[in-house]
Amino acid sequence: MIALRLLPAAALALYAAAAPAAAPDPAYADDLAKWRARADANLTRERGWLSIVSRDELSPGTYKIGSGPGNQIVLPKGLAPANLGTVTAEKDKARLTLVNGQKMTVVTRENDGEEFSARDLVTGATRLEWVTNGRLSLQFVKREDGKIVVRAADRDSPRRKGFTGRVWYEPKADYKVPAKFTRLPDGATIPIANVRGEISYEKVAGTLEFTVNGQKMSFDALDDEGALFVIFRDATSNATTYPPGRFLAVEKPKDGGQWIVDFNRAYNPPCAFSAFTTCPLPPPQNWLKGEVAAGEKYAGRKS
């Protein structure tokens, strides 16, 4: 499953559909405002997407890492010493060995605060860790092709410090609509391309059908542990929203209730904010022909 959801499914509670053309009720508007505030906080947190300052892909081998020009992994000046150490990448795993006198600290929920000078790094898809020293944090992620991706984060990144918030459409009740969900057989997959042109096959849960602005629409939804995750674009992608497309989480209804698609919670992928990310693109069947002028707008170019 593509691990780019904005917030845990439990934090994405949806409410019953409002009457067409009516303003959102105050309770819903308040909950939505809090959700949008959490979306901002997710971007600006330490080691969040706005703090990422470099990204390197490593084939098997040993690489020098540091801010000096003689390194294969060159970190921004001032963020790390000229010679930090070496990264030994093997298929699906990596080891970081620091030069004498250098120490870093592990940052995970399970292992916060462990200091080391050499470490086999946690790179799995279901569990990741950061290692940090001062402003610098490093994360090592294994790709499906066996390569290791190294991300560097700067807690004092100008992008993080200067962020003024996401830009949203005003909430509209008629963009929160009931949907019919048709489940596909277990194990069904669809091809999903990313911004680099790479293709992965993701588990698709089924198809959501709904009506917006009097137009019948539908898109395929990926399985997200019982909830649904959607990558889509619409006619606003050519004007006010992020051109490649947006993300949307759809909560599983409780006790056999109605599925609800709430476009007021459509949000931009990390690629809208950072050049050091690799985001999935909407499949052709998720290119909606009509406009969905709801959710997050696109404030400007990434850096």
Side-chain angles (χ1 to χ4, degrees), residues 40-251:
D40 278 353
N42 183 268
L43 279 176
T44 57
R45 63 183 170 83
E46 187 170 5
R47 293 177 286 273
W49 291 116
L50 291 176
S51 70
I52 306 298
V53 291
S54 70
R55 178 185 185 277
D56 293 270
E57 290 184 10
L58 309 181
S59 298
T62 298
Y63 303 81
K64 294 180 180 180
I65 182 171
S67 60
N71 296 286
Q72 289 84 36
I73 305 171
V74 180
L75 302 174
K77 291 182 179 180
L79 187 59
N83 300 304
L84 180 62
T86 59
V87 177
T88 301
E90 301 179 33
K91 186 174 176 62
D92 296 335
K93 64 180 182 179
R95 181 174 180 80
L96 176 61
T97 303
L98 303 175
V99 299
N100 289 339
Q102 292 295 325
K103 297 284 187 180
M104 297 194 80
T105 301
V106 179
V107 181
T108 67
R109 290 180 181 177
E110 301 86 359
N111 206 7
D112 193 10
E114 179 185 340
E115 195 175 62
F116 69 92
S117 58
R119 179 177 177 83
D120 292 325
L121 303 153
V122 175
T123 61
T126 57
R127 179 171 169 263
L128 293 171
E129 66 183 12
W130 288 93
V131 295
T132 186
N133 184 1
R135 289 167 46 197
L136 171 68
S137 293
L138 297 172
Q139 187 181 63
F140 297 78
V141 184
K142 67 178 180 181
R143 287 166 38 109
E144 292 182 359
D145 60 6
K147 289 184 177 180
I148 300 295
V149 172
V150 183
R151 293 181 183 136
D154 178 3
R155 71 182 180 197
D156 292 336
S157 161
R159 290 282 292 168
R160 180 184 180 224
K161 295 293 186 180
F163 184 63
T164 57
R166 297 174 185 255
V167 180
W168 303 92
Y169 281 101
E170 288 296 318
K172 299 182 181 70
D174 42 348
Y175 281 113
K176 180 170 174 276
V177 297
K180 176 185 177 183
F181 178 57
T182 302
R183 188 172 295 280
L184 292 176
D186 288 345
T189 62
I190 56 173
I192 298 290
N194 65 27
V195 294
R196 297 166 58 86
E198 300 160 334
I199 304 293
S200 63
Y201 287 82
E202 303 294 337
K203 184 178 179 182
V204 61
T207 300
L208 283 163
E209 300 175 86
F210 49 89
T211 299
V212 170
N213 296 332
Q215 292 182 277
K216 292 184 178 180
M217 304 181 187
S218 67
F219 41 41
D220 283 348
L222 304 180
D223 179 74
D224 189 16
E225 300 178 355
L228 304 176
F229 176 66
V230 178
I231 311 165
F232 78 99
R233 79 189 303 270
D234 65 282
T236 67
S237 299
N238 297 321
T240 56
T241 63
Y242 186 53
R246 292 180 286 168
F247 292 170
L248 183 64
V250 181
E251 182 72 3

